[in-house]
Amino acid sequence: MRFIDRTILPSDITPQAVFENRRSLIKAAAAGSFGRALAPWFSREALAANPEKLNVQLNATYSAADETTPYKYATTYNNFYEFGTDKADPAANAHTLQIKPWSISIEGLVKKPVTLDMDALLKLAPMEERIYRMRCVEGWSMVIPWDGFSLSKLINKVEPLGSAKFVEFISLADRKQMPGVKSNIIDWPYREGLRMDEAMNPLTLLTFGMYGETLPKQNGAPVRIVVPWKYGFKSAKSIVKIRFTEEMPKTSWSQFDAREYGFYSNVNPQVDHPRWSQASERRIGDGKGVFAPKIKTQMFNGYADQVAGMYAGMDLKKYY
Ligand SMILES: Nc1nc2c(c(=O)[nH]1)N[C@H]1C(S)=C(S)[C@@H](COP(=O)(O)O)O[C@H]1N2
Ligand SMILES: [Mo]
């Protein structure tokens, strides 16, 4: 047995076609349409994993005109190394993540350090939907409707001290729930960070859902960060801690290889990764896989109007 607390997978006891249809099955079950004939794998835990509908309205100001990536791809082609390094691993393995109860502890250089549970977090501001382009450092991209609100709403509540220059985001790292944490590919817990002005930029989204529903576990349930003008790895999933610091935080990826993964990691077609070009990208989900035509990557992933000012005068080749 590979994992502790492994729950029974629907694939263990149901035909493949049913497994593939699990999402709609779970929904039907939650809606009560199965009556008393629930399959044995509809444990409380399975139902807790069921995406719940969110009450969100599209915010047109922050919405890409690009065609939205089908839900199927956004939820089965993932990077979430805590659940394995293969793109299919998170969707297959993340069911062991316990998302209820959940809280984020807010620490460091703030006037009001506090631990906020999900109810308290959700009360901070009304949720809205924003369609963001997401660009992975590996050269693929997606267009995802995220549901949440600007991280600034939370930051304002805790009143950072004048000495706070950076914000660090720390993901859960629990070997019992996350099989990938047993490997030492990166230094756990997964840690990311932003400069204070980046964290306060209205684009930076404290994210609770996608496609109008709560986040699937493989996408970082129950709460994550989304920073659309930076490479995807800056958007830390399943966060449990936010820390305000004076020094630039040491992030997991820059510790893994500082030359390949800088702190800023702004999407920049003119600054190549040491091992590959960043000039173009492939949109996931058009059915053509690696044969999909490449499209040009845009400076700041197309968000230059909103973010370029924060980097005025900075050498972006040096501060990559
Ligand atoms: N905790 C944690 N957060 C993470 C990662 C990870 O491995 N662990 N992968 C990052 C990378 S490389 C990408 S591209 C995005 C992918 O987010 P998505 O699967 O929701 O599209 O999550 C980021 N956040
Ligand atoms: Mo990524």
Side-chain angles (χ1 to χ4, degrees):
M1 184 141 302
R2 220 145 57 91
F3 320 134
I4 302 164
D5 283 341
R6 183 177 176 279
T7 50
I8 299 165
L9 272 177
S11 56
D12 293 336
I13 46 172
T14 53
Q16 189 62 18
V18 174
F19 173 49
E20 257 142 33
N21 213 15
R22 176 167 172 266
R23 193 168 160 253
S24 46
L25 274 175
I26 291 176
K27 278 187 155 169
S33 40
F34 285 151
R36 302 174 72 81
L38 285 184
W41 53 271
F42 280 117
S43 60
R44 268 182 180 283
E45 168 57 18
L47 286 169
N50 176 31
E52 287 160 35
K53 267 249 159 297
L54 291 171
N55 184 15
V56 282
Q57 284 215 307
L58 186 69
N59 180 335
T61 311
Y62 299 107
S63 292
D66 309 42
E67 200 178 314
T68 301
T69 301
Y71 185 88
K72 184 176 87 175
Y73 294 95
T75 56
T76 56
Y77 190 92
N78 304 101
N79 276 334
F80 198 171
Y81 277 21
E82 288 86 335
F83 294 101
T85 55
D86 192 273
K87 295 288 175 280
D89 284 344
N93 297 335
H95 60 93
T96 52
L97 178 66
Q98 306 283 323
I99 57 171
K100 285 177 188 178
W102 194 276
S103 59
I104 300 183
S105 93
I106 295 147
E107 331 183 325
L109 304 173
V110 287
K111 246 179 241 156
K112 298 180 174 167
V114 65
T115 297
L116 298 173
D117 63 16
M118 290 308 290
D119 284 344
L121 285 165
L122 290 166
K123 275 191 198 122
L124 288 173
M127 236 191 270
E128 55 188 53
E129 185 154 280
R130 303 179 183 187
I131 303 172
Y132 281 168
R133 285 179 294 275
M134 302 299 291
R135 170 66 155 78
C136 180
V137 72
E138 296 164 339
W140 50 268
S141 63
M142 295 193 196
V143 183
I144 301 183
W146 297 112
D147 304 317
F149 48 77
S150 292
L151 177 67
S152 64
K153 308 274 188 199
L154 181 152
I155 296 179
N156 287 333
K157 183 184 162 74
V158 298
E159 298 181 36
L161 302 175
S163 52
K165 300 283 185 284
F166 295 92
V167 189
E168 192 179 5
F169 307 101
I170 300 156
S171 298
L172 180 73
D174 181 353
R175 287 163 175 257
K176 292 200 203 87
Q177 305 177 44
M178 300 170 139
V181 173
K182 292 190 195 92
S183 79
N184 54 5
I185 344 160
I186 64 167
D187 187 27
W188 311 108
Y190 192 98
R191 294 181 311 286
E192 260 309 334
L194 295 172
R195 213 170 56 188
M196 188 62 93
D197 59 337
E198 299 176 321
M200 286 297 290
N201 188 286
L203 272 179
T204 302
L205 199 69
L206 187 65
T207 305
F208 303 92
M210 58 198 283
Y211 300 80
E213 297 176 350
T214 51
L215 286 170
K217 293 178 177 180
Q218 60 267 38
N219 293 88
V223 55
R224 69 176 292 176
I225 301 296
V226 172
V227 195
W229 73 96
K230 292 175 181 281
Y231 292 115
F233 65 85
K234 298 297 288 182
S235 297
K237 294 179 168 180
S238 305
I239 57 168
V240 291
K241 203 174 281 189
I242 297 181
R243 191 187 287 140
F244 292 76
T245 65
E246 184 151 18
E247 305 288 320
M248 181 182 281
K250 288 190 172 62
T251 67
S252 293
W253 283 110
S254 60
Q255 282 199 309
F256 173 82
D257 191 327
R259 228 174 50 84
E260 298 198 358
Y261 308 99
F263 177 80
Y264 286 95
S265 291
N266 291 315
V267 174
N268 188 341
Q270 288 147 35
V271 177
D272 289 337
H273 184 278
R275 290 184 280 135
W276 58 81
S277 163
Q278 292 292 24
S280 61
E281 67 201 55
R282 292 181 205 280
R283 277 282 152 84
I284 300 296
D286 63 2
K288 299 191 193 81
V290 294
F291 301 108
K294 285 199 166 186
I295 55 174
K296 275 194 177 159
T297 290
Q298 303 177 69
M299 188 64 201
F300 296 117
N301 206 23
Y303 298 98
D305 285 353
Q306 292 102 305
V307 303
M310 294 191 289
Y311 311 103
M314 270 176 78
D315 178 354
L316 297 179
K317 285 206 159 69
K318 185 171 171 209
Y319 298 104
Y320 55 86

